[in-house]
Amino acid sequence: GTQVTVEIHREDTSPQLIKRLSLGKGSQRLRGHDNKGFQRTEAPRPPGAKDLHAYPWDKSSLKSMPVDLQQLKKLDAYALKVNVKNSVEELVKALLKQARTDLEKVRAIWMWICHHIEYDVVGYHNKSQLSSKPKDVLQMGKSICEGYAELFEHMCSLAGIQCKKLSGHAKGHGYKTGQTFTGDSDHAWNAVYLEGRWHLLDSTWGSGSVDDSFTKFTYRYNEFYFLTHPALFINNHFPDNSNWQLLKPTLTLKEFENNMLHNSNFYTLGLLAAHPETPIIQTVNGKASVSVDCRTGTLFMFKLKGTDEHGLMTLKKYGMMLDIYPQKTGSHKLEIFAKPSKAEASDDDYKCVLEYVVECESVDKAVRFPKDLHQPVGPSWFSERQGFLQPSHREPVLHTNDGRCSLTFTLGKDISVLTSLHTDGSSLAEDMGRRHVLQIHRGNQIELKVHLPHAGSFVLKIYSKKKSDPGNYDYIFNYLIRCLNTEVKWPAFPQSYSKWLQDYEILEPLSGLLPANRNVQFKLKMHGVAKVLVQAENIHPLTQNRGCWEGSCNTSGCREVFVMVHENANHSFYSHVLKYEVETQ
């Protein structure tokens, strides 16, 4: 039953519709110049049905109306440079010189306040001495939330824009997860009337932040709190008058208290939702799980009581999943951090996006992760981007009963791979950790064969670099490999030297430890060599047969066996390519 008027104009003519909806223009009908040449604004009307937004958030936009930030850049820069401190009237006049629409007027006022008024940490502790009158706030250049909101309201009314100061409870500085709110309101913010609807903003939180001890304010502009979507604003602002939630349905104080606090970083980074949706999580059999949904590749990390040792985090295309296993009972703080994937360089780009309290009643001692395990675990869009495509194992954990496993990937162009196996304790030195993983290349496929030296939990780390780069290998990702079978005891693969080329392949013997006093069969896939010899106590030449070099050698009387190649029939020298050990008797 609603009538909608749609007007279509050529691009270069300005639409009438906007003008008709914009109340700032309409208010010029009031010609009473009682305010030093400023027009009076109409008394703000209370919020009605057309101001309301659906709750929960529909994941569409972070703001309650379309705002083109690129288009506002010039105005923003102008507003920052305005330097008028003698009176609020003069300041507003100067700011409005470059502002045409009501949105632009509000924007200029917002930008100026966020960058010129600082939070008064001293005044906060001694409120009796504090004035929040607009002219005093301007003179001092600092205030608490009350003063920000009153200055904003006054400047808007001078600019002919309806604006209202709102007060209520906020999950701001000093908020503790799960706390209740009682007594008087503790924060103030504003509603402004633009294009026929009420919108919310908080210039105190837009201007910066206060440190933990509440002694130092830092200017740090935050776009999020300008015309914030009401379904997101309610996350940390609960107005005394529930009509000013601008939501349908409205939330109760209890719901506000119990709701998960997502700070502005959560939404600014494009995250959409987190599960569970309550801030306090109980472990079940020693385990708790958290997941985050987001739009595109985002990198995550977590800290449980300040460390990421007791969890398993996997990156998904649209978010992440985390299982944690606290190793002590009691309450633990769990923090989740995120950063856009473009900022791969440094860890300090990670911003805290979520905080949970994990209540742990019993500990699962069986789940201990090796110290070398690096989060996230398993393959992901990130390892794909680095050229490890179509992984045979998409899960982060591999379980093996016989102590052997094999993984395959399709490799991107020009990639050289390095792998190593790690476990807690001193059973596996670094050089041996490399030799328990064998790389087999077939075209653009790589197979990683892993033979575990004993039962336990192991980390398979995978590094890569461009073949054309002379530099070091970069760490890409890792897997957790678990084996419970205590009978397992695989020797390392043979040691290979630089002349052993990437696409050569050992068919047998795969074990780097040969039995003593035995005839051992050799079968090696190698190309581009003239002769292949096995040197034990005696020298045994191998013969070429359909692309493989085959033959046998006897291991009696020697501790080591080498495979050597003659790269050119006319040369007299050999290169070592493989080395095997022989069991002592």
Side-chain angles (χ1 to χ4, degrees):
T2 310
Q3 280 211 310
V4 177
T5 311
V6 178
E7 298 184 8
I8 299 174
H9 302 263
R10 287 174 50 122
E11 261 184 76
D12 50 10
T13 59
S14 75
Q16 292 303 303
L17 186 65
I18 305 286
K19 290 208 172 98
R20 221 181 292 153
L21 284 175
S22 171
L23 262 124
K25 297 280 184 298
S27 63
Q28 282 164 358
R29 289 193 298 274
L30 294 170
R31 285 273 171 258
H33 288 296
D34 61 337
N35 211 336
K36 298 189 191 165
F38 285 99
Q39 69 220 23
R40 260 205 316 246
T41 43
E42 297 163 7
R45 71 159 179 82
K50 66 175 180 180
D51 299 294
L52 305 185
H53 293 256
Y55 181 88
W57 182 47
D58 60 8
K59 301 183 182 175
S60 58
S61 158
L62 300 182
K63 297 201 181 294
S64 51
M65 66 183 273
V67 176
D68 185 337
L69 294 175
Q70 281 310 107
Q71 245 184 335
L72 291 169
K73 273 211 157 111
K74 227 170 96 181
L75 174 69
D76 289 351
Y78 170 78
L80 295 194
K81 289 198 186 76
V82 169
N83 188 16
V84 177
K85 289 277 172 84
N86 51 351
S87 82
V88 184
E89 286 77 12
E90 292 302 314
L91 171 60
V92 173
K93 264 195 186 127
L95 287 171
L96 295 193
K97 280 198 177 111
Q98 297 286 320
R100 291 184 352 267
T101 65
D102 286 1
L103 171 62
E104 287 172 359
K105 292 174 186 176
V106 170
R107 179 72 178 186
I109 293 168
W110 157 269
M111 268 331 236
W112 193 90
I113 291 180
C114 287
H115 292 85
H116 293 86
I117 305 296
E118 60 175 294
Y119 195 85
D120 188 350
V121 282
V122 180
Y124 173 81
H125 296 292
N126 187 8
K127 294 197 183 73
S128 60
Q129 305 294 309
L130 210 61
S131 162
S132 55
K133 287 200 177 90
K135 64 175 202 308
D136 298 333
V137 173
L138 181 62
Q139 235 71 76
M140 296 285 293
K142 54 173 141 183
S143 183
I144 60 171
C145 57
E146 195 78 17
Y148 278 90
E150 289 198 15
L151 179 59
F152 205 100
E153 183 178 48
H154 185 51
M155 287 174 76
C156 281
S157 79
L158 290 174
I161 286 160
Q162 295 190 53
C163 176
K164 191 166 166 52
K165 185 185 97 179
L166 304 176
S167 53
H169 293 293
K171 292 182 181 178
H173 190 275
Y175 168 74
K176 297 270 184 296
T177 300
Q179 79 171 57
T180 54
F181 291 90
T182 51
D184 293 341
S185 56
D186 53 28
H187 191 49
W189 57 93
N190 298 94
V192 290
Y193 196 77
L194 292 171
E195 298 188 11
R197 268 182 123 170
W198 282 106
H199 302 271
L200 302 168
L201 49 79
D202 183 340
S203 57
T204 312
W205 288 11
S207 65
S209 56
V210 177
D211 65 339
D212 287 343
S213 59
F214 219 80
T215 50
K216 184 171 170 288
F217 169 82
T218 311
Y219 276 114
R220 192 181 292 116
Y221 175 69
N222 193 336
E223 178 61 49
F224 182 74
Y225 292 108
F226 179 68
L227 311 184
T228 317
H229 193 296
L232 302 181
F233 205 73
I234 192 65
N235 205 341
N236 42 22
H237 292 76
F238 189 84
D240 293 336
N241 174 346
S242 63
N243 290 339
W244 285 107
Q245 293 179 20
L246 305 185
L247 290 177
K248 185 175 159 197
T250 51
L251 274 73
T252 63
L253 181 61
K254 192 96 201 101
E255 288 172 308
F256 174 73
E257 289 169 348
N258 292 339
N259 270 356
M260 188 70 207
L261 173 61
H262 299 148
N263 61 22
S264 60
N265 295 328
F266 184 92
Y267 297 108
T268 314
L269 285 166
L271 309 187
L272 298 170
H275 309 275
E277 289 174 345
T278 48
I280 295 167
I281 315 175
Q282 316 282 345
T283 57
V284 177
N285 300 329
K287 168 181 162 182
S289 300
V290 170
S291 66
V292 179
D293 303 337
C294 62
R295 285 201 163 89
T296 52
T298 304
L299 294 169
F300 291 90
M301 59 181 245
F302 73 93
K303 291 211 156 91
L304 180 70
K305 282 190 115 166
T307 150
D308 67 358
E309 285 169 28
H310 306 303
L312 192 71
M313 181 176 82
T314 51
L315 281 188
K316 301 284 177 223
K317 188 173 175 189
Y318 297 115
M320 73 91 167
M321 291 174 72
L322 169 64
D323 291 332
I324 47 169
Y325 303 86
Q327 292 299 302
K328 285 198 176 109
T329 55
S331 284
H332 308 287
K333 180 159 116 177
L334 170 65
E335 297 166 289
I336 307 228
F337 303 84
K339 71 171 177 182
S341 61
K342 292 171 200 66
E344 272 152 33
S346 65
D347 271 4
D348 51 3
D349 302 326
Y350 276 104
K351 302 233 181 345
C352 184
V353 290
L354 285 172
E355 261 185 43
Y356 286 97
V357 172
V358 179
E359 295 187 343
C360 177
E361 288 185 7
S362 65
V363 170
D364 186 348
K365 285 285 184 213
V367 184
R368 298 291 290 273
F369 297 107
K371 285 190 185 57
D372 278 305
L373 189 68
H374 195 86
Q375 308 289 347
V377 185
S380 65
W381 57 264
F382 180 76
S383 53
E384 279 194 14
R385 187 186 287 181
Q386 307 299 321
F388 290 83
L389 311 169
Q390 298 168 308
S392 55
H393 294 72
R394 296 203 170 270
E395 292 304 309
V397 187
L398 291 156
H399 295 277
T400 162
N401 190 35
D402 70 354
R404 294 184 295 186
C405 54
S406 152
L407 302 98
T408 59
F409 303 92
T410 302
L411 278 187
K413 283 194 184 63
D414 185 37
I415 290 178
S416 177
V417 178
L418 183 73
T419 51
S420 58
L421 194 67
H422 306 258
T423 186
D424 286 350
S426 54
S427 63
L428 201 56
E430 190 179 347
D431 54 333
M432 286 311 283
R434 299 234 167 106
R435 284 186 46 204
H436 276 274
V437 189
L438 180 68
Q439 291 185 31
I440 301 164
H441 292 259
R442 300 183 187 96
N444 61 356
Q445 288 267 320
I446 181 174
E447 180 187 358
L448 302 177
K449 276 189 192 297
V450 182
H451 285 184
L452 301 181
H454 52 78
S457 289
F458 292 83
V459 181
L460 171 64
K461 291 198 171 188
I462 300 173
Y463 303 79
S464 79
K465 74 178 182 77
K466 280 201 153 43
K467 283 182 193 158
S468 46
D469 278 3
N472 294 333
Y473 284 86
D474 292 324
Y475 166 78
I476 308 296
F477 65 122
N478 58 184
Y479 282 92
L480 177 62
I481 302 177
R482 287 206 163 121
C483 177
L484 298 173
N485 180 355
T486 50
E487 309 285 297
V488 161
K489 191 180 175 207
W490 290 101
F493 293 105
Q495 192 171 343
S496 60
Y497 297 105
S498 59
K499 293 280 188 189
W500 178 263
L501 300 185
Q502 191 170 277
D503 50 357
Y504 290 178
E505 186 179 339
I506 304 171
L507 298 171
E508 59 178 346
L510 277 178
S511 166
L513 188 63
L514 303 177
N517 306 323
R518 281 281 171 77
N519 269 337
V520 176
Q521 283 302 120
F522 278 79
K523 189 171 181 186
L524 308 167
K525 218 184 230 175
M526 297 158 80
H527 57 80
V529 293
K531 268 190 190 169
V532 181
L533 309 173
V534 178
Q535 179 194 359
E537 194 176 24
N538 304 315
I539 286 186
H540 306 263
L542 301 183
T543 53
Q544 196 172 10
N545 176 17
R546 287 199 228 125
C548 290
W549 293 84
E550 301 179 54
S552 66
C553 99
N554 194 294
T555 58
S556 54
C558 62
R559 303 289 303 277
E560 296 172 329
V561 172
F562 291 94
V563 177
M564 305 183 302
V565 298
H566 222 117
E567 292 175 66
N568 186 321
N570 304 328
H571 289 175
S572 57
F573 58 82
Y574 287 93
S575 307
H576 285 73
V577 288
L578 295 174
K579 173 184 163 186
Y580 290 84
E581 317 267 327
V582 178
E583 283 178 347
T584 50
Q585 291 161 29

